[in-house]
Amino acid sequence: MTSSVHGLPAARACPITRTVTSVLSTPEMLSHPKIDSELEDALRYDEHGTEIISTLDVRPNLRNAVWEARNRSHLIGLRAGSPTPSGLVGTMRSAVVNGMSIADITGNAHTVERTPTMADQLPIDSVMFTFVISGESFHFNGTSPPVLVKQGEVAIYDSDSPFMLGFTEAMHAVVASVPRHHLVDIGMQDCFRRLKVIRHAGTGVETEMARDLLDVLRGAFERPVDVDVHEFDDTLLANALRTLRRLSVQPTQTSYHYFTAATAYIESHFDDPRLSIADIAHTLSLSQRHLGRIFAARETTVARHIQKLRLQRARRLLASPESCHMGVAEVGHRCGFSSPSHFSKAFRAYFGVTPTEARRAESLPAAD
């Protein structure tokens, strides 16, 4: 069984009223029937089957305890507090994907703390990601001064190191716990041992990678009810790990390098009519959205660039004496066009003449 932080569940639809007395003997971490009852009443599910819990209707003097109990019921201990008389008023959507816990949290000013005792008694060996969507937070692990994490930034840290995370105002955050055994599978088990803060809003290669990861994680809350659960979870986990692999090191590849690599891949596969954006993105360990942004910065799209390279190759073949034995349809086929009519239409739209007219001409119009 996996575990979680910030109220992230260890398993979908795990019984929230289960006591942890059999797991921990520390008095401060025991369950209480009154708290369990309030917690159960606060739980509901949306149309996607996503678990939602809110302390809004919980009695103010029990809100902090209910938030803590939400963690205790899933084998993780956190102390929760709020400087306001109303206590911690929060709402959390949570999902679990192959042991990776994800939560979308809104709430008032509050703190959560993983104490040394909790870390010792409940090791969970995972990497935490806290994407601050709105508000401002601080992160303190006892080994360095508190680090301010602003709106549009993400804090990445080791869950087994004691820490305190606090929001100084009304907040919105997406939090994920990624077990290190998943990171072992991609050779990243030793990454993110130290606190790392980067942007997920703005520009820059690293920022785009972080934003891609946030987009992938948010997809956990949008699972259609009629899809295969295992297939959906496997795909989401694979996408998250692929994005994490790119985020694990300081990026040295610029947008230009990715564009160059994508172009090289297209040039070596342009004769395959089945060449897709997904193929290129997977080869470069990029999301399709990120790849699209790289091409958009050059005022084009991946599909248009593929067609441009195919047409330019076709033009060279049509003009080459070595290819005079090829028919026009064969030239189009060798350049990745699925049908002669599609090839002829695209060629004329790009060069202003048909492939046959181009072959007959002594010189061809210049390309754009």
Side-chain angles (χ1 to χ4, degrees):
M1 182 174 290
T2 56
S3 53
S4 58
V5 172
H6 280 293
L8 306 185
R12 186 183 299 274
C14 181
I16 63 173
T17 58
R18 179 173 50 80
T19 180
V20 298
T21 305
S22 60
V23 179
L24 291 175
S25 59
T26 307
E28 66 177 6
M29 303 176 77
L30 297 181
S31 184
H32 190 283
K34 184 180 294 185
I35 302 301
D36 288 339
S37 176
E38 291 277 355
L39 184 56
E40 188 171 16
D41 291 342
L43 179 66
R44 61 186 177 85
Y45 295 88
D46 68 9
E47 67 275 13
H48 298 286
T50 300
E51 183 179 284
I52 303 175
I53 188 168
S54 173
T55 61
L56 182 62
D57 295 327
V58 175
R59 283 176 286 179
N61 65 318
L62 295 179
R63 284 171 176 164
N64 294 353
V66 166
W67 201 261
E68 291 177 354
R70 182 67 184 88
N71 291 272
R72 289 197 303 271
S73 65
H74 293 285
L75 302 184
I76 184 64
L78 280 179
R79 285 178 177 168
S82 174
T84 66
S86 60
L88 200 165
V89 181
T91 298
M92 173 172 56
R93 294 190 300 161
S94 57
V96 176
V97 178
N98 286 339
M100 181 172 62
S101 300
I102 308 162
D104 188 307
I105 304 170
T106 57
N108 60 354
H110 70 273
T111 62
V112 289
E113 179 186 9
R114 183 158 166 79
T115 68
T117 299
M118 295 170 179
D120 288 341
Q121 295 192 2
L122 294 173
I124 61 175
D125 200 22
S126 66
V127 176
M128 300 300 304
F129 297 81
T130 297
F131 293 83
V132 180
I133 310 301
S134 65
E136 189 172 85
S137 68
F138 66 87
H139 190 285
F140 179 61
N141 62 6
T143 61
S144 61
V147 175
L148 189 65
V149 186
K150 301 178 183 178
Q151 179 174 318
E153 294 181 338
V154 52
I156 309 172
Y157 48 99
D158 184 4
S159 65
D160 274 343
S161 298
F163 65 85
M164 175 180 285
L165 182 65
F167 290 88
T168 59
E169 56 190 353
M171 54 74 67
H172 179 198
V174 173
V175 182
S177 172
V178 181
R180 283 198 184 273
H181 69 79
H182 285 321
L183 303 185
V184 172
D185 296 338
I186 57 175
M188 288 174 51
Q189 60 271 22
D190 294 322
C191 295
F192 308 121
R193 292 290 184 185
R194 303 183 64 180
L195 174 66
K196 180 182 179 74
V197 178
I198 59 177
R199 295 284 297 172
H200 67 79
T203 58
V205 176
E206 191 175 55
T207 292
E208 290 185 352
M209 292 177 184
R211 186 162 56 244
D212 285 345
L213 177 59
L214 177 59
D215 290 341
V216 170
L217 295 174
R218 280 174 158 168
F221 305 116
E222 300 173 359
R223 189 191 73 189
V225 294
D226 57 345
V227 303
D228 181 81
V229 174
H230 299 294
E231 181 178 348
F232 177 88
D233 287 0
D234 288 346
T235 299
L236 193 143
L237 176 61
N239 289 338
L241 293 179
R242 185 167 63 247
T243 307
L244 273 174
R245 187 168 58 242
R246 294 165 40 229
L247 191 60
S248 63
V249 296
Q250 187 68 26
T252 57
Q253 290 183 294
T254 64
S255 176
Y256 170 78
H257 291 129
Y258 281 125
F259 178 78
T260 302
T263 297
Y265 184 83
I266 293 169
E267 288 177 340
S268 63
H269 294 82
F270 70 86
D271 57 340
D272 183 357
R274 297 169 299 177
L275 176 63
S276 68
I277 297 174
D279 294 333
I280 303 167
H282 179 76
T283 299
L284 301 181
S285 292
L286 297 173
S287 70
Q288 294 184 48
R289 183 174 299 183
H290 187 188
L291 183 64
R293 286 195 290 263
I294 290 173
F295 278 78
R298 290 159 178 79
E299 299 184 349
T300 187
T301 66
V302 179
R304 285 204 299 267
H305 193 72
I306 292 173
Q307 181 155 292
K308 173 184 174 181
L309 294 181
R310 284 173 169 168
L311 289 170
Q312 290 178 341
R313 172 61 174 165
R315 173 186 173 181
R316 290 192 294 271
L317 286 177
L318 290 169
S320 172
E322 289 79 9
S323 305
C324 62
H325 65 282
M326 293 185 193
V328 169
E330 183 179 355
V331 169
H333 178 73
R334 290 199 176 194
C335 292
F337 289 93
S338 57
S339 70
S341 60
H342 179 209
F343 171 49
S344 181
K345 183 178 180 180
F347 193 97
R348 182 165 188 170
Y350 190 77
F351 292 112
V353 294
T354 67
T356 302
E357 292 169 342
R359 167 164 275 178
R360 291 173 180 168
E362 291 184 0
S363 60
L364 291 171
D368 292 343

